[in-house]
Amino acid sequence: MVDTPTRRAVLGAGALVAGSLFAIDRCAAEGPLPPTPACHDGDAATLAQTDGPYFKPSSPERIELFEEGMLGQPIELVGLVLTRGCKPISGALLDFWQADARGQYDNSGFRLRGHQFTDAEGRYRLRSIVPGVYPGRTRHIHVKVQPRGGQVLTTQLYFPGESHNRSDGLFRKELLVRTAKNAGWLAGRFDFVVS
Ligand SMILES: [Fe+2]
């Protein structure tokens, strides 16, 4: 088991970087937000899923997908990129794309699309909104994860407690983000394990 950053530590660092865009309620962030799923040495890599029809290459490098006036529940999603031996991977690429709160993708520009690299401790941090549902699909965030020089893992992340999870044939509980509600925003945690 790696020494994962606590939610307090991760969100605290985020607050310093992002200023006042997201009001961080430090009192609400009690203790560590455990990874989902926990990494055990020798575990299989994170489940791969289709990238669907809406991936676009060359997204901007940014952790902040939230834009002024954007509809939807703000979310800060954090976690690690790990080897199958649970060692954090620095400099791994994560490319996120998602629908807006109305369930629509920006296919002409790069709204709600962005890539970033894990830091020296293998951490990533995404600030966005919870995506909306669209026909046939429950709420989900698409992502491609690639260690430097390694294989690309393409997958999707899901949200707990969603009624549409049951009717979406792509939904997998192994890809659920662990969430905690704070004042007006959602904290999310998901660790990726790559081969
Ligand atoms: Fe999608």
Side-chain angles (χ1 to χ4, degrees):
M1 189 67 200
V2 295
D3 181 23
T4 55
T6 64
R7 178 170 59 169
R8 183 187 298 273
V10 171
L11 296 184
L16 292 175
V17 172
S20 59
L21 183 56
F22 284 76
I24 303 295
D25 180 354
R26 286 170 176 276
C27 297
E30 290 172 1
L33 187 57
T36 307
C39 186
H40 304 288
D41 196 357
D43 272 2
T46 301
L47 198 64
Q49 294 219 292
T50 174
D51 56 3
Y54 302 121
F55 174 70
K56 275 179 70 172
S58 309
S59 69
E61 181 176 354
R62 56 184 178 186
I63 65 167
E64 182 71 75
L65 303 185
F66 182 83
E67 293 168 20
E68 193 70 31
M70 194 174 259
L71 291 177
Q73 160 96 82
I75 179 172
E76 183 175 67
L77 176 65
V78 301
L80 298 166
V81 176
L82 301 165
T83 67
R84 289 183 57 197
C86 305
K87 293 200 167 48
I89 301 174
S90 65
L93 169 69
L94 298 106
D95 198 349
F96 292 97
W97 73 103
Q98 64 168 88
D100 65 16
R102 294 191 172 100
Q104 293 184 331
Y105 288 84
D106 180 1
N107 295 313
S108 52
F110 289 94
R111 196 161 159 267
L112 292 170
R113 299 172 186 269
H115 75 270
Q116 60 178 284
F117 298 90
T118 52
D119 68 10
E121 279 79 52
R123 294 178 298 195
Y124 73 91
R125 185 174 70 248
L126 180 74
R127 292 166 183 270
S128 189
I129 51 117
V130 175
V133 298
Y134 58 91
R137 297 306 320 273
T138 189
R139 295 183 207 281
H140 63 280
I141 295 177
H142 295 270
V143 61
K144 288 179 183 282
V145 185
Q146 184 180 30
R148 267 178 300 200
Q151 283 190 316
V152 179
L153 165 75
T154 301
T155 193
Q156 304 182 31
L157 302 181
Y158 298 94
F159 295 85
E162 293 290 331
S163 59
H164 291 86
N165 287 348
R166 286 192 292 274
S167 56
D168 185 333
L170 286 175
F171 170 77
R172 293 289 178 276
K173 65 179 187 328
E174 300 93 315
L175 296 172
L176 278 171
V177 170
R178 187 176 296 270
T179 58
K181 279 209 171 64
N182 289 294
W185 61 284
L186 198 66
R189 171 76 188 263
F190 190 89
D191 290 354
F192 298 94
V193 178
V194 296
S195 295

